[in-house]
PDB file of all heavy atoms in Angstrom:
ATOM      1  N   TRP A  95      11.693   0.164  -7.267  1.00 95.00           N
ATOM      2  CA  TRP A  95      11.174   0.273  -8.641  1.00 95.00           C
ATOM      3  C   TRP A  95      12.337   0.294  -9.643  1.00 95.00           C
ATOM      4  O   TRP A  95      12.287  -0.412 -10.656  1.00 95.00           O
ATOM      5  CB  TRP A  95      10.327   1.529  -8.797  1.00 95.00           C
ATOM      6  CG  TRP A  95       9.802   1.673 -10.198  1.00 95.00           C
ATOM      7  CD1 TRP A  95      10.454   2.213 -11.274  1.00 95.00           C
ATOM      8  CD2 TRP A  95       8.534   1.239 -10.690  1.00 95.00           C
ATOM      9  NE1 TRP A  95       9.673   2.139 -12.395  1.00 95.00           N
ATOM     10  CE2 TRP A  95       8.489   1.544 -12.074  1.00 95.00           C
ATOM     11  CE3 TRP A  95       7.425   0.625 -10.093  1.00 95.00           C
ATOM     12  CZ2 TRP A  95       7.386   1.262 -12.863  1.00 95.00           C
ATOM     13  CZ3 TRP A  95       6.326   0.340 -10.889  1.00 95.00           C
ATOM     14  CH2 TRP A  95       6.314   0.659 -12.251  1.00 95.00           C
ATOM     15  N   THR A  99      13.039  -2.602 -12.495  1.00 92.00           N
ATOM     16  CA  THR A  99      13.028  -2.268 -13.918  1.00 92.00           C
ATOM     17  C   THR A  99      14.428  -2.139 -14.506  1.00 92.00           C
ATOM     18  O   THR A  99      14.567  -1.762 -15.678  1.00 92.00           O
ATOM     19  CB  THR A  99      12.279  -0.948 -14.145  1.00 92.00           C
ATOM     20  OG1 THR A  99      12.921   0.102 -13.402  1.00 92.00           O
ATOM     21  CG2 THR A  99      10.833  -1.072 -13.688  1.00 92.00           C
ATOM     22  N   VAL A 137      12.764  12.498 -13.737  1.00 94.00           N
ATOM     23  CA  VAL A 137      13.205  11.100 -13.769  1.00 94.00           C
ATOM     24  C   VAL A 137      12.908  10.478 -15.126  1.00 94.00           C
ATOM     25  O   VAL A 137      13.728   9.740 -15.680  1.00 94.00           O
ATOM     26  CB  VAL A 137      12.536  10.295 -12.629  1.00 94.00           C
ATOM     27  CG1 VAL A 137      12.734   8.797 -12.832  1.00 94.00           C
ATOM     28  CG2 VAL A 137      13.099  10.716 -11.288  1.00 94.00           C
ATOM     29  N   GLY A 138      11.742  10.778 -15.678  1.00 94.00           N
ATOM     30  CA  GLY A 138      11.411  10.257 -16.996  1.00 94.00           C
ATOM     31  C   GLY A 138      12.320  10.813 -18.076  1.00 94.00           C
ATOM     32  O   GLY A 138      12.823  10.078 -18.933  1.00 94.00           O
ATOM     33  N   HIS A 141      15.886   9.309 -18.127  1.00 88.00           N
ATOM     34  CA  HIS A 141      16.036   7.879 -18.382  1.00 88.00           C
ATOM     35  C   HIS A 141      16.603   7.681 -19.788  1.00 88.00           C
ATOM     36  O   HIS A 141      15.988   8.077 -20.782  1.00 88.00           O
ATOM     37  CB  HIS A 141      14.690   7.168 -18.268  1.00 88.00           C
ATOM     38  CG  HIS A 141      14.817   5.682 -18.131  1.00 88.00           C
ATOM     39  ND1 HIS A 141      15.114   4.861 -19.189  1.00 88.00           N
ATOM     40  CD2 HIS A 141      14.709   4.863 -17.046  1.00 88.00           C
ATOM     41  CE1 HIS A 141      15.175   3.615 -18.781  1.00 88.00           C
ATOM     42  NE2 HIS A 141      14.924   3.586 -17.484  1.00 88.00           N
ATOM     43  N   PRO A 142      17.792   7.072 -19.905  1.00 85.00           N
ATOM     44  CA  PRO A 142      18.480   6.997 -21.208  1.00 85.00           C
ATOM     45  C   PRO A 142      17.989   5.833 -22.062  1.00 85.00           C
ATOM     46  O   PRO A 142      18.717   4.878 -22.316  1.00 85.00           O
ATOM     47  CB  PRO A 142      19.936   6.799 -20.791  1.00 85.00           C
ATOM     48  CG  PRO A 142      19.844   6.019 -19.524  1.00 85.00           C
ATOM     49  CD  PRO A 142      18.586   6.461 -18.831  1.00 85.00           C
ATOM     50  N   SER A 143      16.763   5.903 -22.526  1.00 80.00           N
ATOM     51  CA  SER A 143      16.236   4.811 -23.327  1.00 80.00           C
ATOM     52  C   SER A 143      15.093   5.316 -24.195  1.00 80.00           C
ATOM     53  O   SER A 143      15.007   6.511 -24.497  1.00 80.00           O
ATOM     54  CB  SER A 143      15.776   3.673 -22.409  1.00 80.00           C
ATOM     55  OG  SER A 143      15.517   2.510 -23.165  1.00 80.00           O
ATOM     56  N   SER A 144      14.190   4.420 -24.573  1.00 87.00           N
ATOM     57  CA  SER A 144      13.097   4.761 -25.465  1.00 87.00           C
ATOM     58  C   SER A 144      12.053   5.612 -24.750  1.00 87.00           C
ATOM     59  O   SER A 144      12.056   5.752 -23.526  1.00 87.00           O
ATOM     60  CB  SER A 144      12.432   3.484 -25.992  1.00 87.00           C
ATOM     61  OG  SER A 144      11.837   2.769 -24.922  1.00 87.00           O
ATOM     62  N   VAL A 145      11.134   6.156 -25.536  1.00 91.00           N
ATOM     63  CA  VAL A 145      10.064   6.982 -24.966  1.00 91.00           C
ATOM     64  C   VAL A 145       9.212   6.168 -24.011  1.00 91.00           C
ATOM     65  O   VAL A 145       8.819   6.652 -22.931  1.00 91.00           O
ATOM     66  CB  VAL A 145       9.193   7.574 -26.103  1.00 91.00           C
ATOM     67  CG1 VAL A 145       7.982   8.294 -25.518  1.00 91.00           C
ATOM     68  CG2 VAL A 145      10.017   8.527 -26.963  1.00 91.00           C
ATOM     69  N   SER A 146       8.915   4.922 -24.372  1.00 90.00           N
ATOM     70  CA  SER A 146       8.088   4.083 -23.502  1.00 90.00           C
ATOM     71  C   SER A 146       8.793   3.825 -22.171  1.00 90.00           C
ATOM     72  O   SER A 146       8.145   3.789 -21.112  1.00 90.00           O
ATOM     73  CB  SER A 146       7.757   2.756 -24.187  1.00 90.00           C
ATOM     74  OG  SER A 146       8.939   2.025 -24.460  1.00 90.00           O
ATOM     75  N   ASP A 147      10.110   3.657 -22.199  1.00 90.00           N
ATOM     76  CA  ASP A 147      10.857   3.461 -20.953  1.00 90.00           C
ATOM     77  C   ASP A 147      10.885   4.736 -20.121  1.00 90.00           C
ATOM     78  O   ASP A 147      10.856   4.687 -18.887  1.00 90.00           O
ATOM     79  CB  ASP A 147      12.282   3.016 -21.253  1.00 90.00           C
ATOM     80  CG  ASP A 147      12.351   1.569 -21.728  1.00 90.00           C
ATOM     81  OD1 ASP A 147      11.411   0.810 -21.428  1.00 90.00           O
ATOM     82  OD2 ASP A 147      13.326   1.214 -22.411  1.00 90.00           O
ATOM     83  N   LYS A 148      10.941   5.878 -20.788  1.00 93.00           N
ATOM     84  CA  LYS A 148      10.890   7.156 -20.062  1.00 93.00           C
ATOM     85  C   LYS A 148       9.548   7.320 -19.362  1.00 93.00           C
ATOM     86  O   LYS A 148       9.477   7.758 -18.203  1.00 93.00           O
ATOM     87  CB  LYS A 148      11.136   8.315 -21.032  1.00 93.00           C
ATOM     88  CG  LYS A 148      12.563   8.406 -21.585  1.00 93.00           C
ATOM     89  CD  LYS A 148      12.680   9.570 -22.562  1.00 93.00           C
ATOM     90  CE  LYS A 148      14.075   9.649 -23.176  1.00 93.00           C
ATOM     91  NZ  LYS A 148      15.103  10.024 -22.175  1.00 93.00           N
ATOM     92  N   VAL A 149       8.479   6.966 -20.066  1.00 94.00           N
ATOM     93  CA  VAL A 149       7.142   7.030 -19.468  1.00 94.00           C
ATOM     94  C   VAL A 149       7.046   6.063 -18.290  1.00 94.00           C
ATOM     95  O   VAL A 149       6.485   6.389 -17.234  1.00 94.00           O
ATOM     96  CB  VAL A 149       6.062   6.719 -20.515  1.00 94.00           C
ATOM     97  CG1 VAL A 149       4.689   6.598 -19.871  1.00 94.00           C
ATOM     98  CG2 VAL A 149       6.044   7.797 -21.596  1.00 94.00           C
ATOM     99  N   GLY A 150       7.621   4.875 -18.465  1.00 93.00           N
ATOM    100  CA  GLY A 150       7.613   3.900 -17.382  1.00 93.00           C
ATOM    101  C   GLY A 150       8.378   4.387 -16.156  1.00 93.00           C
ATOM    102  O   GLY A 150       7.949   4.173 -15.019  1.00 93.00           O
ATOM    103  N   ALA A 151       9.500   5.066 -16.379  1.00 94.00           N
ATOM    104  CA  ALA A 151      10.284   5.605 -15.261  1.00 94.00           C
ATOM    105  C   ALA A 151       9.506   6.698 -14.530  1.00 94.00           C
ATOM    106  O   ALA A 151       9.515   6.768 -13.295  1.00 94.00           O
ATOM    107  CB  ALA A 151      11.612   6.149 -15.772  1.00 94.00           C
ATOM    108  N   ALA A 152       8.824   7.556 -15.298  1.00 96.00           N
ATOM    109  CA  ALA A 152       8.007   8.605 -14.678  1.00 96.00           C
ATOM    110  C   ALA A 152       6.862   7.995 -13.882  1.00 96.00           C
ATOM    111  O   ALA A 152       6.578   8.417 -12.752  1.00 96.00           O
ATOM    112  CB  ALA A 152       7.465   9.549 -15.754  1.00 96.00           C
ATOM    113  N   PHE A 153       6.204   6.987 -14.455  1.00 96.00           N
ATOM    114  CA  PHE A 153       5.124   6.324 -13.734  1.00 96.00           C
ATOM    115  C   PHE A 153       5.641   5.684 -12.445  1.00 96.00           C
ATOM    116  O   PHE A 153       4.985   5.728 -11.400  1.00 96.00           O
ATOM    117  CB  PHE A 153       4.459   5.257 -14.597  1.00 96.00           C
ATOM    118  CG  PHE A 153       3.450   4.431 -13.856  1.00 96.00           C
ATOM    119  CD1 PHE A 153       2.181   4.924 -13.618  1.00 96.00           C
ATOM    120  CD2 PHE A 153       3.782   3.167 -13.367  1.00 96.00           C
ATOM    121  CE1 PHE A 153       1.250   4.177 -12.907  1.00 96.00           C
ATOM    122  CE2 PHE A 153       2.862   2.428 -12.647  1.00 96.00           C
ATOM    123  CZ  PHE A 153       1.587   2.926 -12.425  1.00 96.00           C
ATOM    124  N   ARG A 267       5.620  -8.826 -15.194  1.00 91.00           N
ATOM    125  CA  ARG A 267       6.064  -8.205 -16.439  1.00 91.00           C
ATOM    126  C   ARG A 267       7.577  -8.056 -16.483  1.00 91.00           C
ATOM    127  O   ARG A 267       8.207  -8.267 -17.525  1.00 91.00           O
ATOM    128  CB  ARG A 267       5.404  -6.835 -16.600  1.00 91.00           C
ATOM    129  CG  ARG A 267       5.876  -6.078 -17.827  1.00 91.00           C
ATOM    130  CD  ARG A 267       5.290  -4.688 -17.908  1.00 91.00           C
ATOM    131  NE  ARG A 267       5.820  -3.950 -19.036  1.00 91.00           N
ATOM    132  CZ  ARG A 267       5.545  -2.676 -19.294  1.00 91.00           C
ATOM    133  NH1 ARG A 267       4.722  -2.008 -18.508  1.00 91.00           N
ATOM    134  NH2 ARG A 267       6.073  -2.078 -20.339  1.00 91.00           N
ATOM    135  N   PHE A 268       8.166  -7.688 -15.328  1.00 91.00           N
ATOM    136  CA  PHE A 268       9.612  -7.462 -15.291  1.00 91.00           C
ATOM    137  C   PHE A 268      10.393  -8.694 -14.856  1.00 91.00           C
ATOM    138  O   PHE A 268      11.617  -8.647 -14.730  1.00 91.00           O
ATOM    139  CB  PHE A 268       9.937  -6.286 -14.372  1.00 91.00           C
ATOM    140  CG  PHE A 268       9.473  -4.961 -14.909  1.00 91.00           C
ATOM    141  CD1 PHE A 268       8.378  -4.310 -14.341  1.00 91.00           C
ATOM    142  CD2 PHE A 268      10.101  -4.372 -15.994  1.00 91.00           C
ATOM    143  CE1 PHE A 268       7.943  -3.084 -14.834  1.00 91.00           C
ATOM    144  CE2 PHE A 268       9.673  -3.161 -16.496  1.00 91.00           C
ATOM    145  CZ  PHE A 268       8.587  -2.510 -15.925  1.00 91.00           C
TER     146      PHE A 268
END
Side-chain angles (χ1 to χ4, degrees):
W95 179 276
T99 59
V137 167
H141 196 284
S143 192
S144 64
V145 173
S146 62
D147 287 338
K148 291 179 182 292
V149 172
F153 173 79
R267 176 184 176 185
F268 291 107

